[in-house]
């Protein structure tokens, strides 16, 4: 690892970042990026974002810096960064680029990106609608415990979309997603209990 110009300051920065200090995380990310390690820089940015420590508005000068770091990490093969770049393209309405970046991340096994790829195929966004492909990617994400994928897969089993209709499988998937707090799955689970679908 490249040494921070002031080693004591680096140790302090790392300690603060490890304890959840958002500013320290951002400074550490910037350090890694400027010393040629966008991959590690992205790790800190993504961690800060997931923990809600990095609240940066679009008009902030830091936003461009963060975007630059994430894009560099995506090009270096960082799956979470690739998915983040894909999400950014989607926000801008560029679903072709969004699909490509999400695909790169999905192929590396990132559940969030696998779910997104499933959505592309499920809805036929920039690709030919293909329920079997949607099932494939939803299953990959669902098997990693990703609740939105479990929910969407449950819907497909309940409705027989791309698979043989299977209420018991749908019920099982709704339950898994509901246990993680996904509201849509909780409502669907309650509905299935009320109608007796999938209940042995």
């Amino acid at each position: 690892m490249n040494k921070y110009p002031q080693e004591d300051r680096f140790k302090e920065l790392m300690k603060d970042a490890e304890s959840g200090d958002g500013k320290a995380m951002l400074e550490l990310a910037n350090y890694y990026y400027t010393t040629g390690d966008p991959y590690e820089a992205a790790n800190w940015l993504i961690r800060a974002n997931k923990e809600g420590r990095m609240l940066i508005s679009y008009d902030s000068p830091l936003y461009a810096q963060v975007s630059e770091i994430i894009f560099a990490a995506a090009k270096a093969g960082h799956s979470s960064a690739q998915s983040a770049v894909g999400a950014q393209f989607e926000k801008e309405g560029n679903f072709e680029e969004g699909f490509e970046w999400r695909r790169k991340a999905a192929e590396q096994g990132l559940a969030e990106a696998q779910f997104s790829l499933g959505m592309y195929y499920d809805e036929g966004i920039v690709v030919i609608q293909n329920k079997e492909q949607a099932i494939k990617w939803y299953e990959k994400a669902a098997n990693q415990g990703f609740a939105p994928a479990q929910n969407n897969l449950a819907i497909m089993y309940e409705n027989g979309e791309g698979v043989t209709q299977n209420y018991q499988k749908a019920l099982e998937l709704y339950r898994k997603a509901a246990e993680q707090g996904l509201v849509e799955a909780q409502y669907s689970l309650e509905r299935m209990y009320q109608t007796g679908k999938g209940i042995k």
Side-chain angles (χ1 to χ4, degrees):
M1 180 179 71
N2 294 311
K3 286 193 174 182
Y4 200 72
Q6 299 171 322
E7 194 168 344
D8 288 343
R9 172 62 185 139
F10 178 79
K11 288 178 183 176
E12 182 184 330
L13 193 64
M14 181 65 80
K15 183 181 176 184
D16 290 345
E18 289 284 1
S19 68
D21 184 318
K23 287 183 180 178
M25 288 180 181
L26 185 58
E27 189 176 339
L28 201 55
N30 186 57
Y31 159 70
Y32 279 115
Y33 178 62
T34 56
T35 55
D37 192 350
Y39 206 93
E40 188 60 25
N43 282 339
W44 282 106
L45 287 179
I46 289 162
R47 177 174 167 182
N49 190 49
K50 280 184 178 175
E51 293 180 8
R53 310 282 185 182
M54 191 177 69
L55 302 173
I56 300 172
S57 63
Y58 286 100
D59 58 352
S60 166
L62 291 175
Y63 184 78
Q65 178 189 7
V66 168
S67 296
E68 185 180 337
I69 292 171
I70 292 294
F71 192 71
K75 289 199 292 186
H78 191 292
S79 61
S80 292
Q82 289 171 336
S83 190
V85 168
Q88 185 58 44
F89 276 117
E90 289 162 2
K91 285 178 187 173
E92 295 168 3
N94 187 341
F95 293 100
E96 290 82 3
E97 282 290 331
F99 175 83
E100 288 304 320
W101 284 106
R102 295 284 201 178
R103 181 184 56 76
K104 290 174 192 280
E107 288 173 351
Q108 290 195 67
L110 187 71
E112 173 195 323
Q114 291 170 338
F115 168 71
S116 295
L117 212 56
M119 290 282 288
Y120 274 99
Y121 283 110
D122 196 0
E123 302 295 329
I125 303 167
V126 306
V127 292
I128 295 170
Q129 189 177 47
N130 186 326
K131 296 294 184 179
E132 288 75 19
Q133 278 293 312
I135 294 271
K136 169 189 164 181
W137 290 107
Y138 285 153
E139 280 184 337
K140 286 179 182 288
N143 288 340
Q144 294 189 64
F146 194 69
Q150 292 168 337
N151 183 69
N152 282 20
L153 195 55
I155 292 169
M156 297 186 86
Y157 273 107
E158 184 180 1
N159 298 330
E161 297 177 45
V163 288
T164 302
Q165 191 173 52
N166 186 330
Y167 291 139
Q168 289 179 346
K169 183 72 174 173
L171 186 71
E172 175 192 337
L173 287 161
Y174 280 136
R175 184 181 294 116
K176 287 180 178 179
E179 286 171 353
Q180 294 187 65
L182 193 69
V183 175
E184 305 97 294
Q186 292 169 347
Y187 283 131
S188 296
L189 188 63
E190 184 180 350
R191 174 178 48 76
M192 290 195 77
Y193 275 121
Q194 287 174 349
T195 59
K197 287 181 178 178
I199 310 297
K200 291 182 181 179

